[in-house]
């Protein structure tokens, strides 16, 4: 038996592939890699922007990624204001306060962040400077 033949047989015996099997495996590996790259690219582009909203008792808020617009609603004439807190990409806390009550307009706060930046926000009811009934923190992207 030649030395080359025994190397191929030894590789196959250890769980490897023969030279012919290795050639067939490469195109499949390349296709699998290309598919994974396409999936990451698609998922990455989906997270570049997001719009969301949430309601709490007596109010609510929404974040619109295009234009970085944070809107706070006060749905009740109950003596409580509604306040939205937004952490921008630089770590600064922004406050958007609506004291307009049920008949009043929504409070619209417009920010300017770099595209794709992560922001975190929540909304609370407020009375005498104390926050109540806060929503969970939400994550969005500009």
């Amino acid at each position: 038996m030649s030395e080359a033949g025994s190397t191929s047989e030894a590789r196959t015996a250890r769980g490897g592939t023969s030279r012919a099997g290795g050639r067939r495996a490469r195109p499949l590996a390349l296709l699998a890699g290309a598919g994974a790259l396409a999936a990451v690219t698609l998922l990455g582009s989906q997270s570049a922007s997001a719009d969301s909203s949430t309601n709490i008792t007596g109010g609510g808020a929404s974040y619109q990624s295009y234009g970085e617009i944070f809107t706070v609603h006060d749905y009740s004439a109950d003596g409580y204001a509604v306040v939205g807190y937004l952490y921008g990409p630089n770590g600064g806390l922004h406050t958007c306060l609506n004291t307009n009550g049920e008949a009043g307009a929504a409070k619209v706060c417009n920010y300017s962040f770099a595209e794709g930046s992560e922001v975190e926000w929540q909304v609370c009811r407020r009375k005498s400077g104390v926050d109540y009934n806060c929503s969970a923190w939400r994550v969005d992207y500009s």
Side-chain angles (χ1 to χ4, degrees):
M1 180 181 287
S2 72
E3 195 173 306
S6 60
T7 303
S8 177
E9 290 168 8
R11 203 175 18 227
T12 303
R14 287 192 307 254
T17 60
S18 68
R19 184 172 250 197
R23 286 185 186 143
R24 278 185 242 130
R26 283 186 190 128
L28 292 176
L30 289 174
L31 287 174
L37 179 60
V40 169
T41 301
L42 287 175
L43 291 175
S45 64
Q46 289 175 346
S47 65
S49 66
D51 296 336
S52 63
S53 62
T54 192
N55 286 319
I56 58 172
T57 302
S62 62
Y63 180 80
Q64 181 181 339
S65 59
Y66 182 74
E68 298 84 40
I69 298 171
F70 191 39
T71 305
V72 177
H73 301 274
D74 187 347
Y75 298 133
S76 298
D78 57 4
Y80 286 83
V82 179
V83 61
Y85 297 106
L86 185 140
Y87 277 102
N90 60 359
L93 177 64
H94 305 274
T95 302
C96 189
L97 179 64
N98 185 333
T99 58
N100 296 333
E102 181 179 24
K107 175 69 176 182
V108 179
C109 297
N110 193 343
Y111 302 105
S112 181
F113 305 128
E115 291 300 313
S117 298
E118 183 178 285
V119 297
E120 293 182 60
W121 63 271
Q122 80 173 164
V123 61
C124 304
R125 297 178 79 200
R126 178 183 280 182
K127 188 165 190 166
S128 302
V130 179
D131 292 340
Y132 300 91
N133 194 34
C134 294
S135 70
W137 284 95
R138 302 181 70 97
V139 175
D140 274 309
Y141 300 88
S142 60

